[in-house]
Amino acid sequence: MQDQLNKTSAAEPLTIDTLKYGPPVGHLELRTLICGILQRTIMSGLHVTPENLVMSNGATAVLDNLFHLLGDAGSSCLLPAPCYPVFDNDLGSRNDVKTWQVYLERPDTDANVLDAAKRAAESARKPPRALLISNPDNPTGTIYSEERMKGFLKWCIRKKMHLVVDEIYALSVFPSASSARPFRSIIEIASEMAESLPPQQVEILWEHLHVVYALSKDFCMSGAELSPLAC
Ligand SMILES: Cc1ncc(COP(=O)(O)O)c(C=O)c1O
């Protein structure tokens, strides 16, 4: 990215607006540009507006802020194992939300495994408030199928749990032998699913779904620490 950034900054020097305080959710101009990128890539064909986005300093800060809002101290978040180990810090260090690892085996047993994990966490007095999925997954590289993601969504709607999908590797995916487009953003999947749900469930869905993205991986700009949260 260095060559590209050098060219851009030479052509468009910093203005005073860039250096001043802006809206806490991020400059409108930046959010508009990010909307454009999202609509050209992982959220193509969807109506994403700057009002749907909150910007922060990297996915780490987004997760920290998000779980500050979603989880009470002492609550937990279900998370498929093995997982990106820094989630423990992102959720726990300020907010005291515990990661509760679940061992998912097959799509047809996911709901039962999640039910059992929820019961176990509740018995341990760590009631889960959310399910956190990293898709594409770090560290396994797994791309969850659309059917499986729908299953997670349905489970969260049924339980009124938040579903947080970390899509930080969304554009670092290559066509496979079996599929030209192996990854789909949960926003696309949820939008399609919403068309056949009763209005009450649609409301629960949009209130409980949160997507985290960042420039750290796909744009090789981890030091820029820019990250949108779509909600
Ligand atoms: C799945 C996942 N989420 C979040 C992060 C952290 O992102 P950021 O550098 O934007 O804070 C990483 C970094 O490795 C990651 O792998």
Side-chain angles (χ1 to χ4, degrees), residues 56-63 83-87 90 132-139 166-169 212-217 221-227:
S56 193
N57 304 92
T60 303
V62 162
L63 287 164
C83 59
Y84 166 59
V86 187
F87 282 144
D90 298 346
L132 170 57
I133 304 282
S134 143
N135 189 35
D137 185 62
N138 177 11
D166 180 338
E167 298 188 348
I168 197 168
Y169 291 99
V212 179
Y213 186 63
L215 304 190
S216 318
K217 313 295 176 187
M221 283 168 51
S222 48
E225 290 291 15
L226 277 177
S227 182

Side-chain angles (χ1 to χ4, degrees), residues 110-151:
D110 283 348
N112 289 345
V113 173
L114 291 171
D115 282 344
K118 185 172 181 291
R119 279 195 302 272
E122 281 163 355
S123 311
R125 302 201 175 167
K126 300 278 175 210
R129 299 277 183 258
L131 168 64
L132 170 57
I133 304 282
S134 143
N135 189 35
D137 185 62
N138 177 11
T140 62
T142 300
I143 297 175
Y144 289 94
S145 70
E146 197 171 320
E147 280 316 303
R148 212 155 184 196
M149 292 307 292
K150 276 187 188 156

